[in-house]
Amino acid sequence: MRLSELKNGQSAIIMKVNGYGGFRKRIMEMGFVRGKTVTPVLNAPLNDPIKYDIMGYEVSLRKSEAAMIEVFTEDDAAMAANSMNNGVTEENDMEKAYLKNGRNISIALVGNPNCGKTSLFNHLSGGHEHVGNYSGVTVESKNGSFKYKGYRFTVTDLPGTYALSAYSPEELYVRKHIIEKDPDVIINVVAASNIERNLYLTTELIDISHSLIIALNMYDELEASGAKLDYDQLGKMLGVPAIPIVAKNGKGLKELLDTVINVYEGKDDRVRHIHINHSSVIEQEIKNISSEMKASDDLPKYFPPRYWAIKLLEHDKEVSKLLSQCKNHEKWEIMADKASKNVERLLNEDIETALTDEKYGFISGALQETYVPAKQTANKKNSLIDRIVTHKWLGFPIFLLLMWLMFWATFNIGAYPQAWIEAGVAWLGDRLSGIMSDGMLKDLLVDGIIGGVGSVLVFLPQILILYLFISLMEDSGYMARAAFIMDKLMHKMGLHGKSFIPLIMGFGCNVPAIMATRTIESRSSRLITILINPFMSCSARLPVFIVLAGTFFPKQAGTALFLLYLLGAAVAVLTAKLLRRFVFGKDETPFVMELPPYRIPTAMATLRHMWDRSEQYLKKIGGVILIASIAVWFLSYFPRHDVPATMETPETVVETAGIAVAAGTDDRAPSSAATADGQENGEQYSYLDMLGRGIEPVLRPLGLNWKAGVALVAGIPAKEVVASTLGVLYNSEEEGAGLSGKLAASGDFTLPSAVAFMIFILLYCPCIATVSAIAHEAGSWKWGAFSVIYNTVVAWITAFIGMAATSLIV
């Protein structure tokens, strides 16, 4: 609660004084410090200012100033009392509750991409956020909590950003978080191995005059390179404590947390506020504007006037919008516009360039006194690898080779543990079948749950291998190089290199891949990348691809998978060109992306990444796939049709797993003479049979029958359900071991129809979660609807072409 919200006579304890340095210092000097009791006494005739009783005397504050002070009220104490003593209140409950709640510290992790924020977050909070060695892994904030030395820490991992401007969504997000959430302490994570570039963001954080600590991450790399840094002296020069850490193994984190506590408690004598001084020309303009702002009562108090003045000089649109409610806003804008022109005239360069150059000049001066760089040969290893993997002629073959190797290993190496799990699932089904009496419950457990869920569970090893390769490429730094070599191709698609990272991430899951497009500055390029991402086959489609490829391409299954994924990429390229040509205009957004140093991925990070993905997969198996399998079994089992004993002859209806089929008949769809209850000429259909036969005419040109149609419809909520549905539908087949063998024994698929089925699954409408992500990130459900319709139409046309081409070849 804010102090300005208290009613006269209502006492509260001060929890926190927000705001920037000078303002905050003045308020605290007046007695408004944490732990003191304050009571509003009297309002002025116009309700502003307000007189407060604190420490035995009375102080007057404006409402805007009181709004910057957070307090702990009797209502808060009562809520805490309920949890502490079952609702029994005592006179000193407010003090007790304050002492308990006053030891909460909120931290925001702010830093450049690739500086190790997420590694630090994972180590501190025990979180399992994926750590990738390229920009854009953290595309929104992640929250975690932990306890240390009697304090409860809440830590927020914010997106990687190079500044606090309004150029990219990450910059806006980070600045908005600092304004709205006002963390107690900001930890500026700085890559010690690339300190000069990383410190630019530090200068921006110094400008906002917030409680700040520098965490010099990857300090072991700096030492290994032969460089030397007097971090203590650097911290004193910046007025910010600088602590060396190695986030990946936890080195230095205790000292970092101790420093956080001391800064929070105001006990660290290294903390002091400095100004990043600019040239006399710029300083004079900043002084003129900030002086006008200081005289304004309605200027937001969370950042100092100097910061607002600098951002107006830089023509920061978001800051201008934020300050538009101030009565003198137009005057400030006019002053900033004149000042910018004056600086450009006197310095012969625009204001943004001048400010940036001078900040780097400040950084260079500070490092001259504290930093001894390593010899230039330190980057020889990176340069040698880069010359190979980004070579004009070798770059593309190397990338394609790695992709082929990934799919080859996914199929061939994963086949061994898959066979073991498949045997275990079959044993469990046989065991239950042997001990249970015939009936609906037995059919549900054996055919529905074990047949459906087991058919998806067996592909867990392949999922793990796929994510192993993706994790190794991301964490090693190769993925950023892949984006670099693909930039020219992306440009021909109407995109640029940054679009490549989300597309490759789509091989794992389309939802986080679509969210990762937030790092793309251009809205049109971001929208195109979002819309083509579902064509990059996610791991959910992998189970059915492995089944069909292993059945119909037993000797070239890995190559078949590779070609299938290439087809998805080719359709994405064509779609991007069409969207750029007919929907969006030309976009010449420059490609600016960091190429991080190569690093050897740690076993812990890789294993954690694989475990996180397998955990998600297992949760999905125990949730949506289990429910879908039961639903599919139910629809295939009902309605039940009683067959008179006199009709039980070889020519009458034979029921298998609840799907009634007339003996000696084929799977042709019922004619128009079919009755309403699903009977035709003696044939009796389940609900699933009727659904499948209703959509079969659409799929018949592709060589697919009603069972394939049912599997495709069932896969709309989640693509893994395609495999589980096939497992339920074909679990009753007498011949064949495993789903692959049962599909081969059924005779429902020929080689051309199998190709058409795989292509259709590859390209047709995304799952519900992906459609929702498209609508959310694109800002409209019309793009989600477009993806469903367009992708399905493209899937049918491409599958038909694939079937026809295969028929000609074979």
Side-chain angles (χ1 to χ4, degrees), residues 275 283-296 299 304-310 332 335:
H275 284 164
E283 280 295 329
Q284 185 59 49
E285 301 296 353
I286 294 173
K287 183 179 179 180
N288 292 341
I289 301 172
S290 61
S291 296
E292 286 287 336
M293 289 180 160
K294 284 178 183 177
S296 177
L299 181 73
R306 178 181 173 86
Y307 177 80
W308 298 126
I310 291 172
W332 300 338
M335 291 181 67

Side-chain angles (χ1 to χ4, degrees), residues 279 281-289 308-316 331-355:
S279 65
V281 173
I282 295 178
E283 280 295 329
Q284 185 59 49
E285 301 296 353
I286 294 173
K287 183 179 179 180
N288 292 341
I289 301 172
W308 298 126
I310 291 172
K311 290 304 169 185
L312 286 181
L313 282 171
E314 291 179 339
H315 306 294
D316 189 311
K331 181 180 179 181
W332 300 338
E333 287 282 7
I334 293 171
M335 291 181 67
D337 188 56
K338 288 182 178 178
S340 298
K341 291 177 180 177
N342 188 43
V343 169
E344 186 171 353
R345 179 176 57 83
L346 295 174
L347 300 183
N348 198 29
E349 62 181 349
D350 65 90
I351 184 69
E352 289 184 72
T353 302
L355 286 168

